Amino acid sequence: MLDIVTLATRDAVALAGGPTYTIPTGRRDGLVSNSSVDLPGPSQPVSEILRFFRTIGLNKIDMVTLLGAHTVGVAHCSFFQSRVLDFRGTGRPDPTMDPKLVKKLFRLCNTSKPSTTLNNVPKTFLDQNTSFIVDNQYYNQILKKKGILKIDQELALDKLSAPIVARFANNGNAFRKSFAKSMVKMGNINVLVGDDGEIRKNCRVFNNPN
Ligand code: HEM
C-alpha cells in the first residue's frame, strides 16, 4: 500500500509538469496507524520547522524544497485567516502579506457561517499563480509577499531559508532536480523491510484487524 501511495504521488507530480524520478519499491505496511502524529503547525518559525525536518533525517535544502510542494493544492481559511483578520492581536493584517492578497483573502474568509468540518470552510490556492503546475512559481510568489500560510511567507524572509528560495525562484531546473532528490529521500524515511510490518491484502485495512 505504501509503495502505491509513493508511486501515485510520483505520477501525479509528473502529470502536473514536475520532474520524473525513480523510486525504490518494496516497502512493507506498518501495523500501527496513528492519525495524531506530531507535525509542526503552519505558523511555527522556520527554525522550528527545520528542527522537525532534522529529526526525520532531512536537511535545510530538503525543507525548502519539499515546502515547494505547496506549488499545488489548497489551504482552508482556518489555517491562515488570522493573518488577514487579526494578525497576532493587532487588529490589522500581517504586514508581510501583499495588500491586494490581504483584500482577497479577507473577503474569502470573513464569513460568519459557523463550521464544524473543513468541508464548509472556504479555501484558496497555495500558489496563486500556477496553481495546478508543479513548478518554481511558488518561490516567485512568496518573494512577492503572496505566501498563503505564515510558513510559506517566512521561508522567503528568514535568513536561514531565503538564499535557497532565491535560487529556486531564479532557476526552475535547480528546483526540479532538488525536488526529485528530496522526494526520494522523504520516501526512504522509516521504511519497513524483512519481517517488519506486513504486505496488506486489502489496501484499506490491516490483514488481521484484531
Ligand atoms: C512542516 C511543514 C509543513 C507544514 C506546516 C504544512 C502545512 C500545510 C497546511 C496547513 C496545508 C493546508 C491544509 C488544508 O487547508 O486542508 C497544507 C497543504 C498542502 N501541503 Fe503542506 N505543510 C508542510 C509540508 C509539506 C510537505 C513536506 C509536502 C509534500 C512534499 C506538503 C504538501 C502539501 C500539499 C500538496 C498541500 C495541498 C493539499 C490539498 O490541496 O488538499 N506540505 N500544508
Side-chain angles (χ1 to χ4, degrees):
M1 205 275 271
L2 274 179
D3 275 349
I4 295 171
V5 171
T6 319
L7 291 165
T9 305
R10 177 202 61 183
D11 291 352
V13 166
L15 285 169
T20 48
Y21 49 89
T22 310
I23 43 170
T25 50
R27 293 172 183 76
R28 293 167 65 82
D29 297 309
L31 298 172
V32 180
S33 181
N34 190 353
S35 62
S36 62
V37 282
D38 243 348
L39 290 173
S43 300
Q44 278 178 251
V46 172
S47 56
E48 283 297 313
I49 303 276
L50 178 56
R51 211 191 307 266
F52 168 78
F53 271 77
R54 289 203 166 121
T55 62
I56 53 171
L58 299 174
N59 60 29
K60 189 162 67 177
I61 296 180
D62 296 319
M63 175 189 71
V64 178
T65 303
L66 290 172
L67 272 160
H70 289 176
T71 178
V72 290
V74 296
H76 293 81
C77 283
S78 24
F79 293 108
F80 61 80
Q81 65 189 9
S82 65
R83 296 190 67 203
V84 292
L85 302 178
D86 178 17
F87 183 60
R88 296 188 177 152
T90 56
R92 305 205 35 85
D94 184 342
T96 67
M97 187 186 280
D98 169 63
K100 271 199 200 135
L101 183 60
V102 167
K103 226 181 205 174
K104 171 180 165 177
L105 299 181
F106 185 92
R107 273 198 224 111
L108 179 78
C109 301
N110 193 25
T111 56
S112 50
K113 276 183 259 156
S115 182
T116 43
T117 81
L118 265 192
N119 284 340
N120 314 321
V121 176
K123 51 188 189 266
T124 193
F125 291 117
L126 284 160
D127 174 350
Q128 295 280 310
N129 185 11
T130 55
S131 315
F132 295 101
I133 305 175
V134 174
D135 61 5
N136 66 339
Q137 280 311 302
Y138 163 82
Y139 300 101
N140 285 294
Q141 290 292 295
I142 60 178
L143 286 177
K144 291 181 181 152
K145 301 173 82 173
K146 290 183 182 162
I148 300 296
L149 304 173
K150 188 64 182 155
I151 181 61
D152 294 327
Q153 196 51 60
E154 281 306 304
L155 218 53
L157 298 172
D158 196 299
K159 62 180 188 315
L160 275 172
S161 45
I164 309 171
V165 168
R167 182 156 66 87
F168 288 159
N170 267 320
N171 186 340
N173 232 7
F175 167 65
R176 288 172 72 84
K177 274 196 194 144
S178 191
F179 193 71
K181 195 169 155 198
S182 295
M183 285 295 278
V184 172
K185 203 167 158 188
M186 184 170 67
N188 287 339
I189 296 170
N190 282 339
V191 169
L192 299 181
V193 290
D195 291 331
D196 288 342
E198 64 183 11
I199 300 170
R200 286 191 193 172
K201 295 197 171 83
N202 174 346
C203 273
R204 299 188 294 130
V205 286
F206 302 127
N207 289 343
N208 182 355
N210 304 316

mmCIF file of all heavy atoms in Angstrom, residues 5 11 22 29 40-41 60 84-85 90-91 100-101 124-125 154 160 165 167 178 199 202:
data_model
loop_
_atom_site.group_PDB
_atom_site.id
_atom_site.type_symbol
_atom_site.label_atom_id
_atom_site.label_comp_id
_atom_site.label_asym_id
_atom_site.label_seq_id
_atom_site.Cartn_x
_atom_site.Cartn_y
_atom_site.Cartn_z
ATOM 1 N N VAL A 5 1.042 4.459 -2.718
ATOM 2 C CA VAL A 5 0.894 5.888 -2.430
ATOM 3 C C VAL A 5 2.095 6.658 -2.991
ATOM 4 O O VAL A 5 1.952 7.717 -3.626
ATOM 5 C CB VAL A 5 0.768 6.122 -0.898
ATOM 6 C CG1 VAL A 5 0.829 7.608 -0.565
ATOM 7 C CG2 VAL A 5 -0.516 5.500 -0.364
ATOM 8 N N ASP A 11 3.679 9.834 -9.943
ATOM 9 C CA ASP A 11 2.988 10.014 -11.219
ATOM 10 C C ASP A 11 2.194 11.323 -11.257
ATOM 11 O O ASP A 11 2.134 11.990 -12.287
ATOM 12 C CB ASP A 11 2.058 8.823 -11.499
ATOM 13 C CG ASP A 11 2.862 7.556 -11.794
ATOM 14 O OD1 ASP A 11 4.097 7.663 -11.926
ATOM 15 O OD2 ASP A 11 2.256 6.476 -11.907
ATOM 16 N N THR A 22 12.843 8.115 -10.227
ATOM 17 C CA THR A 22 12.656 6.696 -9.945
ATOM 18 C C THR A 22 12.675 6.494 -8.440
ATOM 19 O O THR A 22 13.556 7.011 -7.757
ATOM 20 C CB THR A 22 13.826 5.886 -10.557
ATOM 21 O OG1 THR A 22 13.953 6.309 -11.909
ATOM 22 C CG2 THR A 22 13.564 4.404 -10.500
ATOM 23 N N ASP A 29 3.930 -2.596 4.852
ATOM 24 C CA ASP A 29 2.989 -1.720 5.555
ATOM 25 C C ASP A 29 3.097 -1.900 7.064
ATOM 26 O O ASP A 29 3.297 -3.009 7.559
ATOM 27 C CB ASP A 29 1.558 -2.029 5.097
ATOM 28 C CG ASP A 29 1.376 -1.739 3.624
ATOM 29 O OD1 ASP A 29 1.743 -0.619 3.213
ATOM 30 O OD2 ASP A 29 0.904 -2.618 2.883
ATOM 31 N N PRO A 40 4.535 19.802 12.748
ATOM 32 C CA PRO A 40 4.569 21.219 13.111
ATOM 33 C C PRO A 40 3.404 21.979 12.473
ATOM 34 O O PRO A 40 2.881 21.576 11.429
ATOM 35 C CB PRO A 40 5.903 21.705 12.536
ATOM 36 C CG PRO A 40 6.416 20.646 11.652
ATOM 37 C CD PRO A 40 5.623 19.401 11.874
ATOM 38 N N GLY A 41 2.992 23.077 13.092
ATOM 39 C CA GLY A 41 1.885 23.881 12.570
ATOM 40 C C GLY A 41 2.384 24.892 11.542
ATOM 41 O O GLY A 41 3.579 25.188 11.488
ATOM 42 N N LYS A 60 18.159 21.334 5.595
ATOM 43 C CA LYS A 60 17.561 22.635 5.250
ATOM 44 C C LYS A 60 17.130 22.692 3.781
ATOM 45 O O LYS A 60 16.052 23.208 3.457
ATOM 46 C CB LYS A 60 18.584 23.729 5.550
ATOM 47 C CG LYS A 60 18.042 25.112 5.456
ATOM 48 C CD LYS A 60 18.921 26.115 6.158
ATOM 49 C CE LYS A 60 20.261 26.278 5.484
ATOM 50 N NZ LYS A 60 21.097 27.312 6.143
ATOM 51 N N VAL A 84 -5.051 37.680 7.989
ATOM 52 C CA VAL A 84 -5.769 38.761 7.308
ATOM 53 C C VAL A 84 -6.819 39.435 8.185
ATOM 54 O O VAL A 84 -7.164 40.594 7.977
ATOM 55 C CB VAL A 84 -6.426 38.276 5.992
ATOM 56 C CG1 VAL A 84 -5.388 37.922 4.974
ATOM 57 C CG2 VAL A 84 -7.361 37.110 6.204
ATOM 58 N N LEU A 85 -7.313 38.709 9.194
ATOM 59 C CA LEU A 85 -8.384 39.289 10.019
ATOM 60 C C LEU A 85 -7.824 40.010 11.236
ATOM 61 O O LEU A 85 -8.266 41.108 11.581
ATOM 62 C CB LEU A 85 -9.369 38.196 10.461
ATOM 63 C CG LEU A 85 -10.054 37.395 9.345
ATOM 64 C CD1 LEU A 85 -10.971 36.324 9.914
ATOM 65 C CD2 LEU A 85 -10.847 38.314 8.425
ATOM 66 N N THR A 90 -3.257 42.341 16.697
ATOM 67 C CA THR A 90 -3.070 43.760 16.366
ATOM 68 C C THR A 90 -4.334 44.373 15.774
ATOM 69 O O THR A 90 -4.423 45.598 15.634
ATOM 70 C CB THR A 90 -1.948 43.930 15.304
ATOM 71 O OG1 THR A 90 -2.301 43.134 14.150
ATOM 72 C CG2 THR A 90 -0.595 43.480 15.832
ATOM 73 N N GLY A 91 -5.296 43.518 15.404
ATOM 74 C CA GLY A 91 -6.485 44.022 14.730
ATOM 75 C C GLY A 91 -6.194 44.399 13.284
ATOM 76 O O GLY A 91 -7.068 44.925 12.580
ATOM 77 N N LYS A 100 -3.057 43.485 -1.759
ATOM 78 C CA LYS A 100 -4.113 43.000 -2.661
ATOM 79 C C LYS A 100 -4.565 41.603 -2.265
ATOM 80 O O LYS A 100 -5.737 41.267 -2.326
ATOM 81 C CB LYS A 100 -3.604 42.959 -4.105
ATOM 82 C CG LYS A 100 -3.809 44.242 -4.838
ATOM 83 C CD LYS A 100 -3.734 43.960 -6.351
ATOM 84 C CE LYS A 100 -3.434 45.246 -7.088
ATOM 85 N NZ LYS A 100 -2.420 45.100 -8.106
ATOM 86 N N LEU A 101 -3.589 40.798 -1.881
ATOM 87 C CA LEU A 101 -3.917 39.437 -1.452
ATOM 88 C C LEU A 101 -4.673 39.477 -0.123
ATOM 89 O O LEU A 101 -5.632 38.728 0.074
ATOM 90 C CB LEU A 101 -2.624 38.601 -1.321
ATOM 91 C CG LEU A 101 -2.803 37.140 -0.944
ATOM 92 C CD1 LEU A 101 -3.648 36.385 -1.969
ATOM 93 C CD2 LEU A 101 -1.432 36.438 -0.798
ATOM 94 N N THR A 124 -8.335 28.521 -0.616
ATOM 95 C CA THR A 124 -7.688 29.217 -1.726
ATOM 96 C C THR A 124 -6.444 28.449 -2.147
ATOM 97 O O THR A 124 -5.934 27.616 -1.388
ATOM 98 C CB THR A 124 -7.324 30.666 -1.326
ATOM 99 O OG1 THR A 124 -6.974 31.396 -2.509
ATOM 100 C CG2 THR A 124 -6.150 30.720 -0.355
ATOM 101 N N PHE A 125 -5.952 28.718 -3.360
ATOM 102 C CA PHE A 125 -4.766 28.008 -3.827
ATOM 103 C C PHE A 125 -3.519 28.470 -3.072
ATOM 104 O O PHE A 125 -3.338 29.664 -2.830
ATOM 105 C CB PHE A 125 -4.565 28.249 -5.324
ATOM 106 C CG PHE A 125 -5.607 27.586 -6.169
ATOM 107 C CD1 PHE A 125 -6.478 28.319 -6.952
ATOM 108 C CD2 PHE A 125 -5.718 26.192 -6.176
ATOM 109 C CE1 PHE A 125 -7.450 27.696 -7.725
ATOM 110 C CE2 PHE A 125 -6.688 25.565 -6.952
ATOM 111 C CZ PHE A 125 -7.558 26.322 -7.723
ATOM 112 N N GLU A 154 7.327 33.072 5.543
ATOM 113 C CA GLU A 154 8.560 33.133 6.344
ATOM 114 C C GLU A 154 9.752 32.514 5.620
ATOM 115 O O GLU A 154 10.889 32.936 5.798
ATOM 116 C CB GLU A 154 8.349 32.440 7.693
ATOM 117 C CG GLU A 154 7.613 33.288 8.698
ATOM 118 C CD GLU A 154 8.267 34.652 8.915
ATOM 119 O OE1 GLU A 154 9.454 34.688 9.267
ATOM 120 O OE2 GLU A 154 7.598 35.677 8.692
ATOM 121 N N LEU A 160 17.667 31.935 7.280
ATOM 122 C CA LEU A 160 18.028 30.514 7.169
ATOM 123 C C LEU A 160 17.663 29.953 5.785
ATOM 124 O O LEU A 160 18.362 29.110 5.235
ATOM 125 C CB LEU A 160 17.231 29.701 8.202
ATOM 126 C CG LEU A 160 17.740 29.574 9.621
ATOM 127 C CD1 LEU A 160 16.687 28.886 10.482
ATOM 128 C CD2 LEU A 160 19.051 28.808 9.655
ATOM 129 N N VAL A 165 15.517 29.950 -1.338
ATOM 130 C CA VAL A 165 14.296 30.405 -2.023
ATOM 131 C C VAL A 165 14.683 31.223 -3.253
ATOM 132 O O VAL A 165 14.141 31.021 -4.354
ATOM 133 C CB VAL A 165 13.409 31.242 -1.064
ATOM 134 C CG1 VAL A 165 12.300 31.970 -1.827
ATOM 135 C CG2 VAL A 165 12.809 30.355 0.023
ATOM 136 N N ARG A 167 17.391 31.115 -5.004
ATOM 137 C CA ARG A 167 17.981 30.256 -6.037
ATOM 138 C C ARG A 167 16.890 29.501 -6.805
ATOM 139 O O ARG A 167 16.885 29.475 -8.031
ATOM 140 C CB ARG A 167 18.960 29.260 -5.386
ATOM 141 C CG ARG A 167 19.660 28.342 -6.383
ATOM 142 C CD ARG A 167 20.968 27.817 -5.828
ATOM 143 N NE ARG A 167 20.764 26.932 -4.694
ATOM 144 C CZ ARG A 167 20.548 25.624 -4.796
ATOM 145 N NH1 ARG A 167 20.502 25.058 -5.980
ATOM 146 N NH2 ARG A 167 20.374 24.887 -3.721
ATOM 147 N N SER A 178 16.235 19.224 -7.301
ATOM 148 C CA SER A 178 16.217 19.117 -5.847
ATOM 149 C C SER A 178 14.919 18.440 -5.379
ATOM 150 O O SER A 178 14.932 17.633 -4.433
ATOM 151 C CB SER A 178 16.347 20.515 -5.245
ATOM 152 O OG SER A 178 16.588 20.439 -3.875
ATOM 153 N N ILE A 199 2.459 -7.104 4.255
ATOM 154 C CA ILE A 199 2.005 -6.615 2.951
ATOM 155 C C ILE A 199 0.489 -6.750 2.961
ATOM 156 O O ILE A 199 -0.037 -7.872 3.035
ATOM 157 C CB ILE A 199 2.602 -7.442 1.794
ATOM 158 C CG1 ILE A 199 4.131 -7.348 1.827
ATOM 159 C CG2 ILE A 199 2.052 -6.957 0.447
ATOM 160 C CD1 ILE A 199 4.821 -8.308 0.877
ATOM 161 N N ASN A 202 -5.666 -6.137 1.549
ATOM 162 C CA ASN A 202 -6.628 -5.102 1.179
ATOM 163 C C ASN A 202 -6.002 -3.774 1.630
ATOM 164 O O ASN A 202 -5.721 -3.579 2.812
ATOM 165 C CB ASN A 202 -7.951 -5.379 1.918
ATOM 166 C CG ASN A 202 -8.972 -4.261 1.701
ATOM 167 O OD1 ASN A 202 -8.648 -3.183 1.229
ATOM 168 N ND2 ASN A 202 -10.221 -4.545 2.059
#
